[in-house]
Amino acid sequence: MARQLRDGITDSVLGIGIDEGTSLVVNRNGLAQVMGEGAVYFVFADHIPEECEPQTPLTFSNYKIWKRENGEQFDLKNLPSRGYRSASVQDGIVPRG
């Protein structure tokens, strides 16, 4: 995601991480529903990372993460303006929590 932003491929990017034992079903309107044991994480970035160069640890501040669990929905066409947590990577290290 950081590389796509840094290289100017896109102005924003949405990544989706899906736990094992979990599925994400998306209808034609872009409404996604989580099914299964785990969670789905939607990661959104809309700004250039502070450090994203080859052979250099990534530094990328304040991207957004939404977590959804079994039965919950997420609108892929209209991202929520709240309910997310901000996350950052500093010198290649992702803090836990």
Side-chain angles (χ1 to χ4, degrees), residues 4-54:
Q4 289 181 337
L5 291 164
R6 171 62 74 193
D7 291 350
I9 295 169
T10 185
D11 292 332
S12 64
V13 61
L14 178 69
I16 301 173
I18 303 173
D19 283 346
E20 187 173 330
T22 308
S23 297
L24 184 67
V25 179
V26 181
N27 72 19
R28 70 181 85 152
N29 298 317
L31 191 61
Q33 182 165 350
V34 179
M35 298 179 176
E37 303 170 1
V40 175
Y41 301 87
F42 300 89
V43 182
F44 180 70
D46 61 356
H47 57 280
I48 295 173
E50 292 85 351
E51 186 67 52
C52 182
E53 298 298 331

Side-chain angles (χ1 to χ4, degrees), residues 2 7-8 17 28 36 42 65 67 80 84 88 91 97:
D7 291 350
R28 70 181 85 152
F42 300 89
I65 301 176
K67 179 182 178 182
Y84 61 85
S88 299
D91 295 322

Side-chain angles (χ1 to χ4, degrees), residues 39-75:
V40 175
Y41 301 87
F42 300 89
V43 182
F44 180 70
D46 61 356
H47 57 280
I48 295 173
E50 292 85 351
E51 186 67 52
C52 182
E53 298 298 331
Q55 307 301 314
T56 304
L58 175 67
T59 295
F60 195 7
S61 300
N62 299 316
Y63 51 90
K64 298 173 182 171
I65 301 176
W66 292 267
K67 179 182 178 182
R68 296 293 188 267
E69 297 182 298
N70 186 45
E72 294 183 313
Q73 296 182 333
F74 191 85
D75 189 342

